[in-house]
Amino acid sequence: LLSRAGGTESFKSQEDLQKALTQIPPDDFLADLFSSLDHLKKLPFVQPDRLGVTGFCFGGGFTWRLATKRQDLKAAAPFYGAAPPLEDVPGIKAEVLAIYGSLDERINAGIPDLEAAMKAAKIRYQKVMYEGAKHAFHNDTGANYDPESARDAWKRTLDFFARTLKGAP
């Protein structure tokens, strides 16, 4: 997502990198992610009708946004991502596995309205809430890392993708 700004290697520190991310308009991120998906679909070893997406935190929010905008996605697994605009939820065609930590008050505040929108739009989804886990519990370099929850969440995610993206080789 920082290719337009010279790529991640062009930043001297994590702080500079994060600051740069805040300067890029969200629509530019979406355009770049759309281009990435379109490129993947053209590769000979990719099944273009079997696309899935996952992301964590900031990336979890964009996982939700992609799911609302890309009807060619079969599966989306946002990890503690901010809810997309609720008016966009009916655009979701992918099945969704949403992963959250129970102690993530900021992100979890949006779950009830998001679930209501998902149910109203008849979106296939599952929500998994890890008791006692904080925001970014899957980040093994951060203070909130919860190895047990992270292992289970990752296994669920891989199983989810195996089931939803299963196709002929």
Side-chain angles (χ1 to χ4, degrees), residues 75-156:
F79 275 68
Y80 34 82
L86 297 178
E87 64 271 13
D88 293 347
V89 168
I92 297 174
K93 302 301 179 220
E95 187 171 338
V96 177
L97 172 66
I99 307 284
Y100 300 100
S102 68
L103 302 178
D104 188 353
E105 294 177 10
R106 179 181 62 86
I107 294 296
N108 294 354
I111 293 174
D113 290 339
L114 176 58
E115 280 195 292
M118 297 278 284
K119 287 177 184 174
K122 297 180 173 51
I123 308 297
R124 290 184 59 192
Y125 78 97
Q126 178 185 7
K127 175 187 78 179
V128 180
M129 182 70 69
Y130 286 92
E131 285 303 317
K134 298 177 182 177
H135 184 80
F137 72 83
H138 203 276
N139 180 354
D140 64 357
T141 66
N144 292 342
Y145 181 55
D146 179 334
E148 186 176 319
S149 296
R151 275 192 297 275
D152 186 73
W154 193 241
K155 181 182 182 328
R156 285 178 190 257

Side-chain angles (χ1 to χ4, degrees), residues 10-121:
S10 68
F11 295 92
K12 294 179 182 170
S13 70
Q14 187 70 21
E15 185 177 285
D16 290 344
L17 186 145
Q18 289 175 335
K19 184 178 178 185
L21 285 172
T22 67
Q23 304 302 310
I24 299 171
D27 286 345
D28 286 357
F29 288 136
L30 280 176
D32 291 345
L33 291 168
F34 279 28
S35 293
S36 296
L37 287 171
D38 292 339
H39 174 73
L40 281 172
K41 289 172 74 168
K42 294 175 187 172
L43 297 176
F45 53 85
V46 172
Q47 290 180 290
D49 62 338
R50 302 289 175 178
L51 296 177
V53 63
T54 191
F56 301 82
C57 186
F58 180 79
F62 275 100
T63 297
W64 278 115
R65 297 277 309 274
L66 275 172
T68 67
K69 301 293 183 190
R70 290 292 296 237
Q71 282 66 51
D72 55 347
L73 291 177
K74 297 281 280 185
F79 275 68
Y80 34 82
L86 297 178
E87 64 271 13
D88 293 347
V89 168
I92 297 174
K93 302 301 179 220
E95 187 171 338
V96 177
L97 172 66
I99 307 284
Y100 300 100
S102 68
L103 302 178
D104 188 353
E105 294 177 10
R106 179 181 62 86
I107 294 296
N108 294 354
I111 293 174
D113 290 339
L114 176 58
E115 280 195 292
M118 297 278 284
K119 287 177 184 174

